[in-house]
């Protein structure tokens, strides 16, 4: 009877330790791999940094286009730029002019 009683006590006391260890492993796993875990946090930080780089590129393109539009506005009309754009877009040239084509002209 003493041996059975000793086995039952050890099972009861080790059961609490097993449940505690299981809970620790469970929460540690989800803290690292869960939907709001450490790996997901690092992935989202990388996505945010890439999105910021793309936003900076678009901002620089926007600034460049705003500068081009500002030169074409009524208040500061640059006649040379207007003449250049008209020749490129409308494919116009004078009879006494030479045309040098540049592939980078937009």
């Amino acid at each position: 009877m003493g041996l059975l009683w000793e086995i039952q006590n050890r099972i009861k006391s080790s059961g609490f330790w097993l449940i505690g260890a299981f809970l620790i492993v469970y929460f540690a796993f989800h803290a690292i791999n869960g939907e709001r875990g450490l790996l997901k946090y690092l992935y989202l930080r990388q996505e945010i940094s890439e999105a910021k780089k793309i936003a900076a590129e678009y901002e620089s393109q926007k600034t460049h286009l705003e500068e081009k539009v500002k030169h074409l506005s009524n208040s500061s009309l640059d006649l040379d730029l207007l003449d250049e754009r008209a020749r490129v877009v409308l494919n116009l040239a004078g009879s006494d002019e030479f045309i040098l084509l540049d592939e980078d002209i937009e």
Side-chain angles (χ1 to χ4, degrees), residues 21-39:
F22 174 76
L23 288 174
I24 290 172
V25 169
Y26 176 81
F27 286 117
F29 175 79
H30 285 287
I32 294 171
N33 292 325
E35 186 175 326
R36 296 182 181 175
L38 182 62
L39 295 178

Side-chain angles (χ1 to χ4, degrees), residues 8-27:
Q8 285 177 346
N9 283 339
R10 288 192 186 234
I11 289 174
K12 285 180 185 178
S13 65
S14 66
F16 292 121
W17 288 107
L18 286 175
I19 291 172
F22 174 76
L23 288 174
I24 290 172
V25 169
Y26 176 81
F27 286 117

Side-chain angles (χ1 to χ4, degrees), residues 65-82:
L65 291 174
E66 283 175 350
E67 284 295 319
K68 288 178 91 171
V69 168
K70 186 169 64 170
H71 290 296
L72 292 174
S73 69
N74 288 337
S75 62
S76 65
L77 185 61
D78 185 4
L79 295 178
D80 291 332
L81 182 62
L82 182 62

